[in-house]
Amino acid sequence: MDVETSKAELVQEQSETPRHTTQYLAALSASMSAMAVGAAIGYSSPAGAAYRCLTDNSTVNATVEPYYADYDAYEEEEWWCLSEEERGWFSGTLSIGALLGCMLAGLSLNTLGRKGTMLASVVPLLVGWLFIGLAQNFAMLIVGRILCGLCTGISSLVVPTYTTEYASKDIRGALGSGFQLFVTIGILYAYIFGTVVKSWEWLGLVCAVLGVLFFVLALFLKESPTFLLSKGKETQARHSMQYFRGPNYNIEKEMVDLKQSLEEAAAAKVSLRDLSKPYILKPLVITLLLMAFQQLAGVNAVIYNVNIIFSDSGTDVSEDMSTIIIGVVQAAATGASTLLLDRAGRRFLLALSSGVMAVSITCLGVFFYVKSVDEEYAITALNWLPLTSLMIFISSFSIGYGPIPWIMMGELFFPGVKEAAGSLATTLNWTCVFIVTFTFEPLQNAIHDYGVYWLFGGLCAVNFIFCVMVVPETKGKTLQETTAYFGGPAA
């Protein structure tokens, strides 16, 4: 009798513990989209160096020589030698596509579903790489970048949404941060293959492989139980929930909670006019500023142009090795942020991140200033400074300002305003990405290299003050407590 009782208790214990293996595999499959997005972002650096030419367009910059065995043949194809303005468009148009992608994702999430939207996002990605690989003129390059950007915007919204909807609460944070981690791995992927594949056409094909791999894996994903239940498909929602939790897990309580949360969200729906209420407006302004500061730090300008930055620095560290080191540091720091988020707190990490970014990017500006005064001294005595500064800059960004603004967007907003306010914040974020990447090289010509990095450093310093003085701590607080903090209803 005691043995039978023990067995029954064991079965009951097992049924109360959700299975994680299926959830991790689903997260891995969905995050391949993030890796494909990261490859599209990282592609700009090695390809941008290949497209680069001198301002008089008469000769080709030495940085592109390794990309072409027949240098004379390259000079005959002058249209590939992109001007400064064209390089700005080449880098920046990815964010234009991402901006459009965010809008499309908002419409398709509730029509095609989470899985359907992910599968549909692969189409513009692969067509975009096809345009880039077969490009015969600059217009085809831009069309290709915009199409890749569409997938970027769609994925940045649908993949985190899908992952957090099916994940059990005990591993939701870890799975939710996976998207940003796989973006950095995708960037590293493009950097590494950019050192091996010297043709920008073939490099595009290598990056497109990730999109094909994601499409194949996504075919086997189950639809989100949240989406299915919101469409009144309770039986299918139960099957999906049981699949993710394991056959022995009792899903009844989670299904009841999910129904209740969907009903409460529908009841709490607010209009755009309600954004003027103080307890909604204050967190909205804080979130918008976090999104703006995230991009005004200049991180995407650095990632898109890291090859060019090291080429201009003239240091003895090879560009290929430098970009790989930067990519490894970014991926490792993003992984570390997953462990720190719920321990150190949001505000502390944001302040630390912005403060260290201010110092490190200012130091990079110091190197370029010294180089403009005494190039020989800068290259011989300070040749370690560019790589060191960028390693510290990227790692500090990845630990704090990379993931936290997106997390706080979900923690600050009043429930009924999340959809409208989240869309506004995402739109602002990608708009700032375009502005920073498009103006990077023109600013270099206007205020010199060191002036641009000092400008980024000054904005990071203002950001540090903002984090210390204004940003609230949301670690360990419920949504009701956060709403009450801003003067809203406590329940």
Side-chain angles (χ1 to χ4, degrees):
M1 191 72 176
D2 292 337
V3 175
E4 292 178 358
T5 304
S6 299
K7 289 182 178 179
E9 291 174 352
L10 180 59
V11 171
Q12 183 179 5
E13 181 181 351
Q14 289 175 336
S15 67
E16 293 176 354
T17 304
R19 187 172 64 184
H20 293 164
T21 304
T22 305
Q23 298 182 58
Y24 281 124
L25 290 175
L28 178 63
S29 299
S31 294
M32 285 304 300
S33 173
M35 193 170 174
V37 164
I41 295 172
Y43 175 81
S44 294
S45 183
Y51 293 134
R52 196 181 190 194
C53 57
L54 298 179
T55 53
D56 61 3
N57 288 325
S58 60
T59 58
V60 181
N61 190 290
T63 59
V64 305
E65 186 172 358
Y67 290 81
Y68 289 84
D70 188 347
Y71 205 60
D72 294 333
Y74 181 93
E75 289 184 312
E76 293 175 2
E77 300 178 5
E78 292 185 359
W79 53 270
W80 284 127
C81 191
L82 302 184
S83 67
E84 174 190 299
E85 183 179 358
E86 288 172 333
R87 289 195 305 275
W89 280 105
F90 178 75
S91 296
T93 45
L94 186 78
S95 56
I96 294 178
L99 195 58
L100 297 174
C102 290
M103 299 176 186
L104 289 175
L107 298 174
S108 62
L109 274 175
N110 293 320
T111 53
L112 297 178
R114 282 48 165 165
K115 177 181 176 179
T117 301
M118 284 189 286
L119 290 172
S121 70
V122 181
V123 176
L125 177 69
L126 296 181
V127 175
W129 284 123
L130 189 65
F131 266 84
I132 292 173
L134 300 178
Q136 299 298 310
N137 50 54
F138 178 65
M140 291 184 69
L141 285 177
I142 295 302
V143 171
R145 290 292 285 174
I146 291 176
L147 289 172
C148 288
L150 279 175
C151 177
T152 299
I154 294 171
S155 297
S156 65
L157 185 58
V158 66
V159 174
T161 299
Y162 173 74
T163 304
T164 54
E165 283 183 351
Y166 79 71
S168 53
K169 62 182 180 181
D170 54 332
I171 58 172
R172 185 173 296 144
L175 295 186
S177 61
F179 183 84
Q180 183 68 24
L181 175 61
F182 271 80
V183 168
T184 61
I185 294 174
I187 293 172
L188 177 59
Y189 174 92
Y191 285 173
I192 291 175
F193 279 97
T195 66
V196 178
V197 182
K198 295 302 183 180
S199 164
W200 50 265
E201 300 100 330
W202 285 105
L203 180 59
L205 177 63
V206 170
C207 293
V209 168
L210 294 177
V212 176
L213 179 59
F214 165 67
F215 183 83
V216 173
L217 292 175
L219 288 172
F220 299 95
L221 291 174
K222 292 286 186 181
E223 182 56 89
S224 157
T226 302
F227 170 75
L228 293 171
L229 191 59
S230 69
K231 295 300 181 181
K233 301 177 181 179
E234 184 171 348
T235 302
Q236 295 180 40
R238 285 180 173 275
H239 287 314
S240 177
M241 182 73 79
Q242 198 73 68
Y243 169 80
F244 286 116
R245 298 297 181 267
N248 296 324
Y249 181 75
N250 186 356
I251 64 170
E252 291 306 317
K253 184 179 184 304
E254 273 200 80
M255 289 299 297
V256 170
D257 291 342
L258 183 57
K259 285 182 184 179
Q260 184 177 352
S261 65
L262 289 173
E263 291 170 358
E264 290 175 352
K269 213 73 171 178
V270 296
S271 64
L272 288 174
R273 288 182 298 179
D274 293 315
L275 295 179
S276 61
K277 295 178 180 179
Y279 66 90
I280 295 177
L281 181 61
K282 289 178 183 178
L284 173 61
V285 171
I286 290 173
T287 302
L288 292 178
L289 288 174
L290 286 174
M291 290 295 184
F293 278 127
Q294 183 193 60
Q295 298 305 327
L296 294 178
V299 65
N300 274 300
V302 170
I303 292 173
Y304 286 175
N305 299 283
V306 66
N307 278 56
I308 292 175
I309 292 173
F310 283 113
S311 172
D312 290 343
S313 69
T315 62
D316 56 4
V317 181
S318 70
E319 295 169 39
D320 290 344
M321 181 57 66
S322 299
T323 53
I324 290 175
I325 291 174
I326 293 298
V328 170
V329 167
Q330 185 180 23
T334 304
S337 69
T338 304
L339 304 175
L340 293 173
L341 279 173
D342 291 323
R343 291 175 172 83
R346 278 61 159 153
R347 183 170 63 179
F348 172 77
L349 287 178
L350 285 173
L352 177 67
S353 177
S354 55
V356 176
M357 282 194 298
V359 174
S360 57
I361 201 71
T362 299
C363 289
L364 182 63
V366 169
F367 171 83
F368 279 99
Y369 176 76
V370 174
K371 182 173 179 284
S372 68
V373 176
D374 188 344
E375 182 172 352
E376 183 178 354
Y377 175 78
I379 294 176
T380 55
L382 300 177
N383 59 346
W384 53 272
L385 189 54
L387 180 58
T388 304
S389 297
L390 285 181
M391 285 174 60
I392 296 173
F393 177 79
I394 291 294
S395 60
S396 57
F397 173 85
S398 300
I399 287 176
Y401 249 94
I404 292 179
W406 299 102
I407 293 173
M408 293 194 70
M409 182 172 69
E411 295 177 335
L412 289 174
F413 287 150
F414 188 71
V417 80
K418 279 187 178 182
E419 186 176 330
S423 176
L424 183 60
T426 305
T427 300
L428 176 64
N429 186 278
W430 283 108
T431 301
C432 290
V433 172
F434 173 74
I435 292 172
V436 171
T437 54
F438 183 74
T439 60
F440 179 67
E441 288 199 52
L443 280 174
Q444 283 181 308
N445 290 332
I447 59 177
H448 307 292
D449 292 323
Y450 56 84
V452 176
Y453 301 126
W454 287 347
L455 174 62
F456 289 150
L459 290 170
C460 287
V462 174
N463 185 6
F464 172 78
I465 298 172
F466 167 72
C467 292
V468 173
M469 303 293 293
V470 179
V471 176
E473 180 57 73
T474 57
K475 184 190 75 169
K477 292 184 178 180
T478 65
L479 189 58
Q480 289 81 4
E481 290 172 337
T482 303
T483 302
Y485 173 85
F486 289 106

